[in-house]
Amino acid sequence: MKEIILIKNGELALKGLNRSTFEDILIKNIRRRLKPLGEFEYRKEQSTVTVVPLSDGVDMDEVSDRVGRVFGIACYSRALQTEKNMEAILENAPIYLAEQLKNAKTFKVEGKRSDKKFPLTSPELSAQVGGAILEKFPHLKVDVKNPEVLVTVEIREKFAFIRGNQTKGAGGMPSGTAGRATILISGGIDSPVAAYMMAKRGLSLTAVHFASPPYTSPQSEMKVHDLLRQVSKYSGNITLFTVGFTEIQEQIRDNCPEDIFTLVMRRFMMRIAEKIAEREDCKALITGESLGQVASQTLLALSCTDAAVSMPVFRPLIGMDKDEIIKISRKIDTFDISIEPYEDCCTVFTPKHPKTKPQLSVLLAAEEALDADALIERAIENTKLTNICF
């Protein structure tokens, strides 16, 4: 007998002939997350990935927590792998599920047999296991429609598996199945959530952060590292490029009209991020912008920003309000980091009365006062690279 993890991969079942490829990437991602915890065997069968610890003393609480953060998993459960006979099943089911059952009021048992040679039918299996549980926990009542604890006993080719309620997984698609994209990451609430949401759809992430010392502090850079470390618990490892942006911002301040400072700055950011993305084989940019949230995020302002690049720009938060974004940031544990009082370069030289209905021709004319290509080249040359690991 040993405790294992049973994983249901949900959306991957729709992938037809490509399904096996997606499942292999999912298992690769799970293996990478669990590698520090010990040795494991991974088995694929019947839309389920079975994770079996091969080392003694594995921390199954930590295994369960890490599995719960892997994209591509619809739900998972800890289960007991035991001998495929009724004596072992009836003895172990009440013991293994005691923590879930002792405080519950209702339960139900579902028996499943993929091995049709097993001597009991599924209803007979359910009835016998239910009887053994009621004998140990006489306070329980059977509720076949809405039980507090759903006990499942699966009979497979080699073993029987006993499990209680399933836990909802991270969902989405396995990281790396949709290609690579570059997230423009700040120290705020929005961009880490945008990174999480696009990683959930299978993208591997590269990150670009803009720092403006001495206007921004080393603590603001470390804050971004901490944010990406939280995101990487879901997405996997992230390569971070920190771009020195001070010269560009000072040139914009000295040579451009104040009311378009932010828009010109955003256009430079997009152009730099695109060049890094191309070098890293990324096919899209990601930002944390939400329509109308600030002056630079009006429809016309976003159109002017997008005109600076040819690469697709994904904005997963575009139709969300701040409360919805904060809810996700709390879920992924980035909110408390985001509100730390270390400001990023987006708050430097903020105009008092920014343009909300800019014209692209006005921005292009203002940029003619700048040697944009040289500024961008120097900024990229002074980029720092950091590998962020979960």
Side-chain angles (χ1 to χ4, degrees), residues 232-375:
S232 74
K233 291 179 180 180
Y234 296 89
S235 68
N237 295 347
I238 300 172
T239 302
L240 168 65
F241 294 87
T242 303
V243 179
F245 205 55
T246 308
E247 182 186 11
I248 292 175
Q249 286 193 286
E250 290 177 338
Q251 287 292 312
I252 294 171
R253 176 198 62 190
D254 295 340
N255 294 282
C256 297
E258 183 186 4
D259 60 354
I260 59 172
F261 278 1
T262 302
L263 289 169
V264 175
M265 177 191 74
R266 292 291 297 172
R267 284 171 53 81
F268 269 87
M269 287 179 170
M270 297 292 278
R271 291 172 66 180
I272 291 169
E274 183 178 52
K275 288 184 178 296
I276 293 173
E278 290 170 344
R279 191 172 67 189
E280 294 299 305
D281 196 30
C282 296
K283 305 305 182 185
L285 302 177
I286 306 166
T287 76
E289 290 159 316
S290 173
L291 187 63
Q293 184 169 235
V294 295
S296 64
Q297 295 176 20
T298 64
L299 184 59
L300 289 175
L302 293 175
S303 297
C304 290
T305 301
D306 285 358
V309 295
S310 58
M311 193 171 278
V313 181
F314 295 151
R315 294 184 172 94
L317 314 186
I318 195 69
M320 299 176 69
D321 61 35
K322 202 65 176 183
D323 287 342
E324 292 172 313
I325 298 168
I326 289 173
K327 183 177 179 181
I328 298 174
S329 74
R330 291 188 186 278
K331 172 186 171 183
I332 64 175
D333 295 324
T334 58
F335 179 77
D336 288 339
I337 302 171
S338 293
I339 62 174
E340 290 175 358
Y342 305 118
E343 296 183 332
D344 56 47
C345 71
C346 294
T347 61
V348 176
F349 311 137
T350 303
K352 292 181 180 179
H353 302 288
K355 270 284 194 217
T356 59
K357 297 181 179 180
Q359 294 181 334
L360 181 58
S361 59
V362 173
L363 295 175
L364 293 173
E367 290 172 5
E368 289 181 2
L370 306 170
D371 188 351
D373 291 340
L375 288 169

